[in-house]
Amino acid sequence: MAALTKKPAGTPAGKPTRAPGRTSRWLRRNLVVLAGLATLGYLILPNVVVTVFSFNKPNGRFNYEWQRFSTDAWTDPCGVADLCGSLSLSLEIAFWSTVGATVLGTMTAFALARYRFRARSSVSTLLFLPMAMPEVVMAASLATLFLNMGVTFGFWTVLIAHIMFCLSFVVTAVKARVMSMDPRLEQAAQDLYATPLQTFLRVTLPIAAPGIAAGALLAFALSFDDFIITNFNAGSTVTFPMFVWGAAQRGTPVQINVIGTAMFGIAVLCVLVGQLVGGRRKRS
């Protein structure tokens, strides 16, 4: 008697089923990785364009079309008037705003994560407002505050404004790190007769250091890059983003691409160094 075979449902008569090929199986296994690489390439593409055009020698004022290869802008990055002055001012404001926001944000994060007080929930809600509201609203509010107080717009108004909007990001980064800490480590240090200061310096601070560093780097990047809040509260002070905006009205010099490429390279180098240090600590 011939063996009876049952065909799978949905399979046409006379057509055998095919197993998925190697290509389709490989695509299904690596779909998430490919999507991540495509997203990363999309994000890096503007930086690649900026880097390429930093070696361009345009014929006119605008550096929007490739003409010919040149390293003149790299050999003379300060060849445009007031460019390096605005860059140094932006770096100075970013440094001091990072210091101020990191110190205040770290103390605020420890207070919110470790202590219970009456206005704790309200403070947590208020700290998220600068992150949620549009920058133009905060910029106009700060400008109105400074005008009503009779404060002259300049370096200090920009610095105060930057500390205020960077503070929320630092608190968020440090608070997440502090809340994930194991309190038994500090209790063990106290059992070993460590003073509160020794416990903080040798146990608490090293554990919270990655969160503090992340908040500080984020504050520095946000402060250096900010334009809207700075434009409302700068007065006659010209930072690097304001210089770029003003230069774009008359013609973008190649030196702006040079500075942007250098800043991008420094940021990538910092990330790579951090990854190497973290990898060595894990292996040890």
Side-chain angles (χ1 to χ4, degrees):
M1 181 182 293
L4 298 177
T5 57
K6 186 177 181 181
K7 296 180 180 179
T11 303
K15 292 185 179 181
T17 58
R18 289 185 178 180
R22 292 183 178 180
T23 304
S24 60
R25 290 199 302 269
W26 184 86
L27 286 175
R28 275 185 285 184
R29 284 198 308 267
N30 300 278
L31 183 60
V32 176
V33 177
L34 293 175
L37 291 176
T39 304
L40 184 62
Y42 176 76
L43 294 174
I44 294 180
L45 182 60
N47 298 286
V48 175
V49 174
V50 169
T51 303
V52 170
F53 275 85
S54 67
F55 294 97
N56 186 30
K57 189 173 182 62
N59 292 329
R61 296 180 301 169
F62 296 96
N63 186 27
Y64 299 148
E65 295 182 1
W66 180 263
Q67 300 295 333
R68 58 187 180 276
F69 181 85
S70 175
T71 58
D72 293 344
W74 282 93
T75 57
D76 189 17
C78 296
V80 180
D82 298 330
L83 188 149
C84 286
S86 63
L87 177 63
S88 62
L89 181 61
S90 287
L91 291 173
E92 184 180 359
I93 292 175
F95 173 78
W96 289 114
S97 62
T98 300
V99 172
T102 302
V103 172
L104 294 175
T106 301
M107 292 190 295
T108 305
F110 271 94
L112 293 174
R114 293 293 181 86
Y115 299 97
R116 300 290 183 268
F117 48 93
R118 183 173 298 177
R120 180 171 176 268
S121 58
S122 301
V123 172
S124 299
T125 303
L126 290 174
L127 283 171
F128 279 99
L129 287 180
M131 302 172 61
M133 71 172 60
E135 282 193 28
V136 66
V137 176
M138 187 174 184
S141 302
L142 288 170
T144 304
L145 175 65
F146 292 139
L147 284 173
N148 291 332
M149 296 178 62
V151 179
T152 304
F153 288 100
F155 175 86
W156 292 106
T157 55
V158 174
L159 180 60
I160 294 172
H162 282 206
I163 291 175
M164 290 190 67
F165 81 82
C166 290
L167 184 64
S168 300
F169 296 92
V170 177
V171 171
T172 303
V174 178
K175 183 182 176 183
R177 181 66 178 180
V178 173
M179 294 185 67
S180 65
M181 292 170 55
D182 189 354
R184 292 176 296 182
L185 297 175
E186 296 172 312
Q187 295 173 3
Q190 295 172 2
D191 292 340
L192 296 173
Y193 303 102
T195 63
L197 181 60
Q198 290 175 332
T199 302
F200 177 78
L201 294 177
R202 298 187 179 185
V203 178
T204 307
L205 188 60
I207 297 176
I212 298 173
L217 291 175
L218 184 59
F220 184 88
L222 291 171
S223 176
F224 180 82
D225 184 61
D226 182 76
F227 172 77
I228 298 176
I229 295 177
T230 305
N231 191 36
F232 272 75
N233 300 277
S236 60
T237 304
V238 179
T239 60
F240 183 70
M242 295 179 65
F243 177 87
V244 173
W245 178 80
Q249 313 302 316
R250 304 181 300 271
T252 309
V254 185
Q255 282 80 359
I256 291 178
N257 296 62
V258 173
I259 300 299
T261 303
M263 296 299 295
F264 176 72
I266 293 172
V268 172
L269 182 62
C270 291
V271 172
L272 292 177
V273 170
Q275 292 292 330
L276 290 175
V277 173
R280 287 184 178 181
R281 287 183 177 179
K282 288 181 180 180
R283 287 193 297 269
S284 61

